[in-house]
Amino acid sequence: MATAAPARRQDPSALRAEIRVGRFDGTTAGHCPGFAQANLVVLPRELAFDFLVFAQRNPKPCPVLEVLDPGDPEPRLTAPGADVRTDLPAYRVYADGELLEESRDLLSSWRDDAVAVLIGCSFTFEEGLLAADVPVRHLEQGVTVSMYRTAVECVPAGPFSGPLVVTMRPIPAPLVPRAVEVTARYPAVHGAPVHVGDPAGLGIDDLGAPDWGDPVEVRPGEVPVFWACGVTPQAVALASGSPWMLTHSPGRMMVLDVTNRDLRA
Amino acid sequence: MATAAPARRQDPSALRAEIRVGRFDGTTAGHCPGFAQANLVVLPRELAFDFLVFAQRNPKPCPVLEVLDPGDPEPRLTAPGADVRTDLPAYRVYADGELLEESRDLLSSWRDDAVAVLIGCSFTFEEGLLAADVPVRHLEQGVTVSMYRTAVECVPAGPFSGPLVVTMRPIPAPLVPRAVEVTARYPAVHGAPVHVGDPAGLGIDDLGAPDWGDPVEVRPGEVPVFWACGVTPQAVALASGSPWMLTHSPGRMMVLDVTNRDLRA
């Protein structure tokens, strides 16, 4: 029997409840329009200090939306009543920098000193771009945004160091100013681009070969525009060889009660 | 022999060098125009984690400009080459929430696990107000800004909790919008006001009796405008009974190489 494509969910707490009981395990992209979604990084409290310092020193790739109390799985400010251990569709568990398993929940891997950090995601400003009639190519093509490791080093903190990761969206030249203006309104979610044009200036040799995500078409008259990417803190935390780390699975985000509108400056 | 009033210093590193050798011990207010000044809070690393979480949850009163590495006295990002132990004119040393001593330097009280946090100061946006022809009464009167404990509780984190402290500046009614616009451009330094008019709404009974600083005149046609105040994190850290804490003395700030312009959104 054929299964219908899942309908677009509207209500964050209803979607989280479906996820919690195992009735929804796909990407959260496109669901709950208007509401912010977040990347999840969970570290032991001891390392979470350095991670917060890293985020403070690198706010564009690491826009922290909430830091949960040690051991507390409830995002009391951004999604009261939710549980970061069960309310995302899929997780990754890392030990000593190696992927240990993909998991449907974090109940068995949770610890008393687990500090969950919720980090803003570019879904928020993409809604702003679309509302301003700026095309977003990877959404048009139904693929994942192109992401690149750059030659720009983040400011290190404790054991955390590594290159800035950026996303790229090709923007028609006359719309570049608008794309900058619109995304600058979301400083809590990566904000304005870090670079416009000139991939070589970021140390990117081939736009057609992203390090993560899918390549997208850059058409004549379009300029590649680069934004700081929330993959940066995950990549950096992973490279730090943390003895223990939990994250969401790509595209399976924490859907918050906070709206994109709330995150506008 | 009468001593001439000290000339207004211009260069941050030159002023810090004078302070370091004991040739300058007054307030830093009014010196090095154009450059940002910062509040200093030093805590043991163990507590600094909760303090950073508190700051993340309460960004308006706690705009963090830099977090130094544990044990490191050099603000490598905001004042390279400086030393937070010697380059402020005066300090306070607290033990178990009690003032232990006022001190000219922190060399003997420094520890390996000391984490220095530099927090933005309203001197930055006051320069913006003056440049926009918005009068700043306490500067006209040559007194300290009025500060009030409010009935608004900060979002707690770990052992840190307590009321929001605000500053008040009386603004002529037609200039209130401009005062909001100008200070909103400095989200890294308290940003837009938290409240306009209606002191009772903040639980302030008597504008003439501030909890810190001096009372200032509110003239007919002026509206009291309230901004989140950097005294908040100090008051909260003090009330938490931290076994050990170091701060600047009031008005004796860390003068940074970062400009006020750098802190504009």
Side-chain angles (χ1 to χ4, degrees):
Chain A
M1 195 176 89
T3 308
R8 184 152 95 154
R9 307 307 201 277
Q10 301 294 333
D11 175 63
S13 63
L15 174 58
R16 293 192 303 258
E18 281 192 85
I19 295 169
R20 198 177 311 155
V21 297
R23 288 212 310 268
F24 182 105
D25 63 3
T27 176
T28 51
H31 291 282
C32 302
F35 291 93
Q37 302 197 16
N39 300 281
L40 174 69
V41 174
V42 185
L43 288 165
R45 183 190 193 279
E46 180 63 20
L47 271 173
F49 169 79
D50 296 301
F51 190 71
L52 291 187
V53 176
F54 182 83
Q56 197 277 331
R57 291 180 185 171
N58 300 280
K60 290 203 90 159
C62 310
V64 174
L65 298 182
E66 184 169 5
V67 184
L68 280 57
D69 287 330
D72 185 0
E74 180 184 352
R76 294 169 193 274
L77 301 178
T78 58
D83 188 323
V84 295
R85 300 171 303 179
T86 54
D87 294 3
L88 288 75
Y91 300 88
R92 290 183 167 178
V93 179
Y94 295 91
D96 298 318
E98 301 288 325
L99 180 64
L100 205 66
E101 57 170 342
E102 290 259 355
S103 172
R104 287 296 301 275
D105 67 61
L106 297 177
L107 292 171
S108 62
S109 38
W110 194 249
R111 304 184 353 179
D112 285 347
D113 68 341
V115 173
V117 183
L118 296 171
I119 296 170
C121 152
S122 55
F123 292 174
T124 292
F125 72 63
E126 287 177 350
E127 192 175 278
L129 289 171
L130 293 173
D133 297 320
V134 177
V136 180
R137 181 67 30 79
H138 67 277
L139 297 181
E140 291 168 4
Q141 297 189 191
V143 297
T144 301
V145 68
S146 305
M147 292 169 261
Y148 308 86
R149 201 178 274 113
T150 70
V152 179
E153 282 295 306
C154 294
V155 184
F160 298 110
S161 66
L164 173 71
V165 178
V166 295
T167 55
M168 187 279 289
R169 293 166 187 80
I171 307 287
L175 291 177
V176 170
R178 193 188 294 179
V180 174
E181 277 189 79
V182 166
T183 55
R185 285 181 208 140
Y186 296 94
V189 192
H190 305 308
V194 292
H195 207 89
V196 176
D198 188 29
L202 285 171
I204 300 171
D205 294 328
D206 181 3
L207 282 181
D211 295 298
W212 294 271
D214 300 304
V216 297
E217 187 191 356
V218 183
R219 298 178 189 155
E222 292 184 336
V223 176
V225 179
F226 300 93
W227 280 266
C229 175
V231 161
T232 310
Q234 259 192 44
V236 158
L238 204 53
S240 79
S242 168
W244 180 81
M245 179 168 97
L246 314 171
T247 72
H248 68 286
S249 278
R252 272 92 174 150
M253 319 296 281
M254 176 79 195
V255 183
L256 305 177
D257 291 353
V258 168
T259 64
N260 291 331
R261 175 85 215 172
D262 293 332
L263 296 178
R264 280 187 57 161
Chain B
M1 195 175 92
T3 310
R8 184 154 94 153
R9 306 307 200 277
Q10 301 294 332
D11 176 63
S13 63
L15 174 59
R16 293 192 303 258
E18 281 193 83
I19 294 169
R20 199 176 309 156
V21 297
R23 287 211 312 266
F24 182 104
D25 63 1
T27 175
T28 52
H31 292 282
C32 303
F35 291 92
Q37 302 197 14
N39 301 280
L40 173 69
V41 174
V42 184
L43 288 165
R45 183 190 192 280
E46 179 63 20
L47 270 173
F49 169 78
D50 296 302
F51 190 70
L52 291 188
V53 176
F54 183 83
Q56 197 278 331
R57 292 180 185 171
N58 300 279
K60 291 203 89 159
C62 310
V64 174
L65 298 183
E66 185 170 4
V67 184
L68 280 58
D69 286 331
D72 186 0
E74 179 183 353
R76 294 168 194 274
L77 301 178
T78 58
D83 188 323
V84 295
R85 301 171 303 178
T86 54
D87 294 2
L88 287 76
Y91 300 88
R92 291 183 166 177
V93 179
Y94 295 91
D96 297 318
E98 300 288 325
L99 180 64
L100 206 65
E101 57 170 343
E102 290 259 355
S103 173
R104 288 296 300 276
D105 67 61
L106 297 177
L107 293 171
S108 63
S109 38
W110 195 251
R111 303 181 357 176
D112 285 349
D113 69 341
V115 173
V117 183
L118 296 171
I119 297 170
C121 151
S122 55
F123 293 175
T124 292
F125 72 65
E126 286 176 352
E127 192 175 277
L129 290 171
L130 293 173
D133 297 321
V134 178
V136 180
R137 181 66 31 79
H138 68 278
L139 297 181
E140 291 167 2
Q141 298 190 189
V143 297
T144 302
V145 68
S146 305
M147 293 170 260
Y148 308 86
R149 200 177 275 114
T150 69
V152 179
E153 281 295 308
C154 294
V155 184
F160 299 110
S161 66
L164 173 69
V165 178
V166 295
T167 56
M168 186 280 290
R169 293 165 187 79
I171 307 287
L175 291 176
V176 169
R178 194 187 295 180
V180 174
E181 276 189 80
V182 167
T183 56
R185 286 181 207 139
Y186 296 95
V189 192
H190 305 309
V194 292
H195 207 91
V196 176
D198 188 29
L202 285 171
I204 299 170
D205 294 329
D206 180 2
L207 282 182
D211 295 297
W212 295 272
D214 301 304
V216 297
E217 188 190 356
V218 183
R219 297 176 189 156
E222 292 183 338
V223 176
V225 179
F226 301 92
W227 281 267
C229 176
V231 161
T232 311
Q234 260 194 43
V236 158
L238 204 53
S240 77
S242 168
W244 180 80
M245 178 168 94
L246 313 172
T247 72
H248 68 287
S249 278
R252 271 92 174 151
M253 319 297 280
M254 177 79 194
V255 183
L256 305 177
D257 290 353
V258 169
T259 64
N260 291 330
R261 175 86 215 171
D262 291 334
L263 296 177
R264 281 187 57 162

